[in-house]
DNA sequence: ACCTGAACACCGTTCAAGT
DNA sequence: ACCTGAACACCGTTCAAGT
């Protein structure tokens, strides 16, 4: 399948492709993105990279190390792409939505972030949130808690997102994910909505009503709404 | 604890202790509480219950089923113990803190809740939050999102709590957890604080300052603070 | 119906051996 | 230094066989 040195005359081509820590992590991200958390096994990595286990363990400490570094990669990559805003409120909203979108695109990141919230990948995020909270006029003694609350909101939604994605893709071989797009997703969501709608309306009126409106629901909007609630609450601390 | 037909004269004692779904789940909870998520293996269960694998699978669908049911058990048990309050704000705070305390006592619950946020164990919680949010005067169209945001805050902190607990107990055999109490915990927290304090103060002034104050930090207070921020933010929706 | 436990499939990880 | 791949320890789960 690799078919290297197909043409001829080439002298010594540096050796092979050159296995490196970066390439391993990049490949891991690809596997995670296409097949979900469950798809990332050391075996799958060796196959995809065309090497053995030891080669991977030579560049990477652990599977945990692998997952954590992959997560850092995605998070830092996205945060640097967030446009700077003058207004602290708008900046905070943009920052939060930036991370939301990243997790939305890579749901496994949500699971990993809630597993290890103190990873360096979140350092810049935390720092930015902290400064912006200060810029909002929050007194010093409340800044840490306020920033923590906002970060927690992001991580909480991220975890939820990951849970939904896991339900959608795990167990699946991922074979027909490409062919049909979102039939699976729709089927699942319909199923979930039906199950939620089945709760006793007499005993759970609120949940029942919420389930009925599940179709109109937009995760991103709900997330942004939550951010605004916290921003309003935080503004009152001034 | 049930102890039925304790006195004599009882005819056929029904057979042995009688392995039941309830007993399996109760034992699972014990293992999870004392040894953490990693300690719950089917093998450990068979040993503790003195049976084989098949016996367990006869009463329980899955390990997932086991974990989910155990989580439901803990959550519903605690929510029924929360005292009713007349003031919606106080009631919401009490409800949230009740779940926080439950997760604090059983950290594995936090991980499981963020893995499956739609479990029946959370139904009553979600319903109560929804009604109280309505009682606060939040307009109907915003209630679902508002309630969802609060639930997410609770689940987010719960997941974080679980992550910390996992770092503390997993890998550990749990042998000296009882003897020495919290030496391990203190050692770990000191280590974490030291690592956080090591971040570059020039590049990360906020995080660095936060790390310095990590000692005075109380998780429960920060959680309650977040709830209050949320409540303040929600009041503006009226 | 309820239980037993060997067997199976599949993990992450190690390590003597190669280049 | 970097890589190979058989081997190991340990999972969750199954299933023919027992009572």
């Amino acid at each position: 399948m690799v078919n290297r040195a197909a043409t001829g005359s080439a002298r010594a081509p540096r050796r092979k492709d050159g296995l490196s820590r970066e390439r391993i992590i990049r490949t891991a991200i690809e596997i995670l993105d296409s097949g979900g958390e469950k798809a990332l096994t050391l075996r799958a990595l060796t196959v995809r990279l065309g090497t053995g286990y030891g080669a991977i363990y030579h560049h990477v400490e652990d599977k945990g190390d692998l997952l954590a570094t992959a997560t850092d990669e995605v998070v830092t990559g996205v945060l640097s792409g967030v446009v700077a805003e003058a207004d602290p409120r708008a900046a905070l909203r943009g920052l939060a939505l930036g991370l939301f979108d990243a997790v939305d695109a890579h749901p496994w990141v949500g699971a990993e972030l809630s597993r290890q919230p103190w990873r360096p990948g979140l350092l810049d995020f935390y720092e930015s949130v902290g400064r912006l909270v200060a810029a909002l006029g929050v007194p010093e003694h409340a800044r840490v808690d306020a920033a923590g609350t906002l970060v927690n909101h992001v991580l909480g939604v991220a975890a939820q997102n990951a849970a939904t994605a896991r339900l959608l893709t795990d167990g699946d071989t991922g074979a027909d994910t490409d062919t049909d797009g979102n039939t699976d997703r729709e089927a699942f969501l319909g199923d979930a909505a039906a199950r939620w709608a089945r709760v006793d309306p007499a005993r759970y009126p609120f949940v029942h009503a919420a389930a009925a409106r599940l179709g109109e629901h937009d995760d991103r909007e709900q997330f942004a709404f939550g951010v605004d609630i916290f921003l309003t609450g935080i503004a009152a601390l001034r």
Side-chain angles (χ1 to χ4, degrees), chain A residues 29-47:
Chain A
I29 291 178
E30 287 171 16
I31 294 177
L32 285 162
D33 281 343
S34 62
E37 306 168 40
K38 216 179 175 179
L40 181 65
T41 65
L42 270 295
R43 168 98 181 101
L45 257 185
T46 59
V47 169

Side-chain angles (χ1 to χ4, degrees), chain A residues 41-64:
Chain A
T41 65
L42 270 295
R43 168 98 181 101
L45 257 185
T46 59
V47 169
R48 191 105 152 209
L49 289 168
T51 51
Y53 298 101
I56 292 172
Y57 278 91
H58 191 267
H59 293 275
V60 150
E61 187 132 359
D62 225 40
K63 197 193 176 182

Side-chain angles (χ1 to χ4, degrees), chain A residues 78-79 82 93-103 220 223:
Chain A
V78 163
L79 289 185
V82 174
R93 209 181 285 120
L95 214 57
L97 280 171
L99 199 46
F100 175 89
D101 288 335
V103 169
R220 197 174 193 268
F223 172 75

Side-chain angles (χ1 to χ4, degrees), chain A residues 44 48 60 70 78-79 91 99 102 111-112 115 155 161 181 207 215 218:
Chain A
R48 191 105 152 209
V60 150
V78 163
L79 289 185
L99 199 46
E112 185 60 20
R115 219 170 288 147
L155 296 188
N161 237 337
V207 173
D218 184 323

Side-chain angles (χ1 to χ4, degrees), chain A residues 13-237:
Chain A
R14 188 80 75 88
R15 211 179 293 208
K16 275 187 274 184
D17 321 20
L19 187 61
S20 66
R21 181 178 167 93
E22 283 175 19
R23 205 160 83 88
I24 292 173
I25 287 163
R26 206 186 323 134
T27 308
I29 291 178
E30 287 171 16
I31 294 177
L32 285 162
D33 281 343
S34 62
E37 306 168 40
K38 216 179 175 179
L40 181 65
T41 65
L42 270 295
R43 168 98 181 101
L45 257 185
T46 59
V47 169
R48 191 105 152 209
L49 289 168
T51 51
Y53 298 101
I56 292 172
Y57 278 91
H58 191 267
H59 293 275
V60 150
E61 187 132 359
D62 225 40
K63 197 193 176 182
D65 181 25
L66 196 61
L67 261 169
T69 311
T71 302
D72 284 349
E73 203 82 1
V74 171
V75 170
T76 55
V78 163
L79 289 185
S80 67
V82 174
V83 232
E85 299 256 13
D87 176 40
R89 270 187 79 114
L92 276 170
R93 209 181 285 120
L95 214 57
L97 280 171
L99 199 46
F100 175 89
D101 288 335
V103 169
D104 199 49
H106 314 271
W108 52 273
V109 170
E112 185 60 20
L113 280 181
S114 78
R115 219 170 288 147
Q116 308 205 334
W118 40 73
R119 285 253 72 198
L122 280 180
L123 244 182
D124 288 284
F125 183 66
Y126 207 100
E127 179 70 24
S128 301
V129 170
R131 289 189 204 179
L132 289 165
V133 162
L136 274 177
V138 173
E140 212 195 331
H141 71 273
R143 280 175 202 165
V144 174
D145 286 355
T149 301
L150 199 54
V151 172
N152 177 67
H153 177 67
V154 179
L155 296 188
V157 173
Q160 219 122 324
N161 237 337
T164 308
R166 193 164 32 223
L167 225 68
L168 249 47
T169 63
D170 276 8
D172 238 22
T173 39
D176 40 28
T177 309
D178 284 0
T179 50
D180 227 22
N182 45 11
T183 319
D184 276 351
R185 180 185 175 84
E186 278 165 16
F188 163 76
L189 288 182
D191 205 53
R195 199 165 23 232
W196 274 100
R198 222 175 290 138
V199 298
D200 184 5
R203 197 172 159 194
Y204 299 102
F206 178 78
V207 173
H208 190 265
R213 253 179 254 121
L214 207 138
E216 327 160 13
H217 214 65
D218 184 323
D219 283 348
R220 197 174 193 268
E221 270 176 31
Q222 153 132 27
F223 172 75
F225 187 82
V227 171
D228 281 337
I229 288 179
F230 282 113
L231 286 178
T232 306
I234 281 176
L237 293 172

